């Protein structure tokens, strides 16, 4: 598979007064194009920090002067590369444009616009990325065709999460970042959401990076990394992905 993302010696330290907390400790990772990567770990393991740093929502520790963000320390040989371009050197503006054009996000909270219906919410996603995607086809992909004229208060939690998936897909992102996408959902609804994500990967070629504390979800990935105390403690390659409806839950 073709390499899409590469992290080398990536660290992240948070400071509160004189107290420093190491959230990421020299992370090395490769993500291939079209892959489903699952980042698995308990609360405080560093998994969400890793997602935020890979996606440019947060900055890795740096070792050189830069006008647009505060510098701490980093290994001189550290970087985050997309298609062999080091995005860790991007300015804040360039990083924002990169995220807007290339990346999609799914969070545990849906962040939908209550005054818009399903189709209109998804259309917002396509406008954000200047995409020419077929909105109705994407809504059908996530199983919401019969609900596309409904407003958010008329939908269940699982249906709203599927709207947020469709909105992110409408940008036609190269990578979709999913932070605990089923965290607020029951088993049946959560598995339906995962089925939508896997289908997006298979039909649209979207690379998925999924953060979760649920070990069952690891089975749907091509690659699984287990995190503890800011480090990758194990990397697992699944020879065959498990259908979301067949995974154990919790």
């Amino acid at each position: 598979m073709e390499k899409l993302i590469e992290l080398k010696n990536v660290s992240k330290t948070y400071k509160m007064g004189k107290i420093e907390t190491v959230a990421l400790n020299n992370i090395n990772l490769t993500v291939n194009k079209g892959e489903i990567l699952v980042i698995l770990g308990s609360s405080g393991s560093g998994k969400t920090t890793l997602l935020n740093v890979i996606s440019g929502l947060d900055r890795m520790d740096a070792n050189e002067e830069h006008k647009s963000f505060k510098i701490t320390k980093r290994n001189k040989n550290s970087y985050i590369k997309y298609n062999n371009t080091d995005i860790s050197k991007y300015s804040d503006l360039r990083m924002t444009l990169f995220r807007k054009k290339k990346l999609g996000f799914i969070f545990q909270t849906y962040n939908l616009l209550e005054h818009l219906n399903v189709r209109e919410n998804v259309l917002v996603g396509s406008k954000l990325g200047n995409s020419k995607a077929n909105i109705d086809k994407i809504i059908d992909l996530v199983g919401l065709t019969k609900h596309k004229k409904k407003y958010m208060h008329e939908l269940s939690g699982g249906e709203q999460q599927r709207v947020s998936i469709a909105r992110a897909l409408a940008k036609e992102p190269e990578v979709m970042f999913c932070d605990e996408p089923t965290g607020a959902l029951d088993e049946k609804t959560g598995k339906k959401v995962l089925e939508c994500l896997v289908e997006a990967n298979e039909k649209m070629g979207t690379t998925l990076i999924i953060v979760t504390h649920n070990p069952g979800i690891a089975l749907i990935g091509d690659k699984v990394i287990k995190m503890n105390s800011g480090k990758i403690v194990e990397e697992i390659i699944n020879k065959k992905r498990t259908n979301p409806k067949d995974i154990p839950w919790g």
Side-chain angles (χ1 to χ4, degrees):
M1 298 179 75
E2 184 181 351
K3 181 169 63 179
L4 176 62
I5 305 170
E6 183 182 11
L7 280 70
K8 184 176 180 181
N9 299 324
V10 170
S11 296
K12 179 64 181 179
T13 304
Y14 292 105
K15 292 183 178 181
M16 185 173 291
K18 295 182 179 180
I19 299 174
E20 292 190 354
T21 301
V22 178
L24 298 177
N25 190 350
N26 277 347
I27 298 293
N28 293 282
L29 177 65
T30 298
V31 183
N32 294 318
K33 189 170 290 188
E35 186 172 62
I36 298 180
L37 169 69
V38 177
I39 304 174
L40 181 65
S42 59
S43 178
S45 63
K47 60 186 187 297
T48 296
T49 301
L50 179 58
L51 179 143
N52 289 342
V53 168
I54 299 174
S55 64
L57 290 174
D58 203 352
R59 293 282 186 178
M60 62 185 279
D61 290 348
N63 70 336
E64 56 188 337
E65 189 82 21
H66 196 290
K67 63 182 179 181
S68 60
F69 57 92
K70 185 178 179 180
I71 301 305
T72 54
K73 297 178 180 178
R74 93 176 184 197
N75 186 312
K76 291 184 178 181
N77 296 316
S78 61
Y79 56 73
I80 300 173
K81 290 183 178 181
Y82 275 74
N83 289 317
N84 292 315
T85 299
D86 186 355
I87 68 164
S88 63
K89 296 179 179 179
Y90 280 4
S91 67
D92 286 345
L93 176 59
R94 191 175 182 188
M95 184 69 81
T96 298
L97 293 174
F98 172 77
R99 288 197 305 268
K100 182 179 178 182
K101 184 178 180 181
K102 296 286 188 179
L103 311 181
F105 294 89
I106 303 295
F107 300 102
Q108 188 171 333
T109 53
Y110 315 128
N111 300 316
L112 299 168
L113 298 174
E114 297 290 333
H115 63 287
L116 300 181
N117 64 28
V118 169
R119 194 179 191 282
E120 290 166 341
N121 264 283
V122 177
L123 187 60
V124 167
S126 69
K127 298 296 184 183
L128 285 173
N130 295 318
S131 167
K132 296 181 180 179
N134 187 319
I135 300 301
D136 294 309
K137 186 175 181 180
I138 290 173
I139 291 172
D140 186 60
L141 178 71
V142 299
L144 291 175
T145 297
K146 66 180 181 180
H147 299 304
K148 65 182 177 181
K149 292 186 179 180
K150 289 184 178 180
Y151 290 86
M152 300 308 102
H153 70 274
E154 300 177 278
L155 303 176
S156 68
E159 288 166 345
Q160 289 186 55
Q161 186 64 299
R162 283 187 275 155
V163 176
S164 69
I165 292 171
R167 181 182 59 185
L169 289 173
K171 289 175 60 178
E172 297 184 300
E174 196 165 359
V175 187
M176 179 93 83
F177 291 90
C178 312
D179 191 2
E180 297 281 7
T182 63
L185 304 174
D186 59 60
E187 178 177 350
K188 181 179 179 181
T189 308
K191 287 183 176 181
K192 181 64 178 177
V193 166
L194 293 175
E195 286 175 7
C196 291
L197 289 171
V198 170
E199 194 165 359
N201 169 263
E202 293 175 348
K203 291 187 175 181
M204 299 180 68
T206 309
T207 302
L208 298 179
I209 298 179
I210 303 173
V211 162
T212 184
H213 66 276
N214 185 339
I217 293 177
L219 299 175
I220 74 170
D222 298 292
K223 182 189 297 177
V224 183
I225 58 170
K226 294 184 178 180
M227 295 197 67
N228 188 32
S229 300
K231 294 182 179 181
I232 296 175
V233 294
E234 186 178 4
E235 182 173 304
I236 301 167
I237 304 298
N238 290 329
K239 293 182 179 180
K240 184 178 180 181
R241 301 193 315 209
T242 302
N243 190 304
K245 67 181 181 180
D246 297 323
I247 65 173
W249 196 258

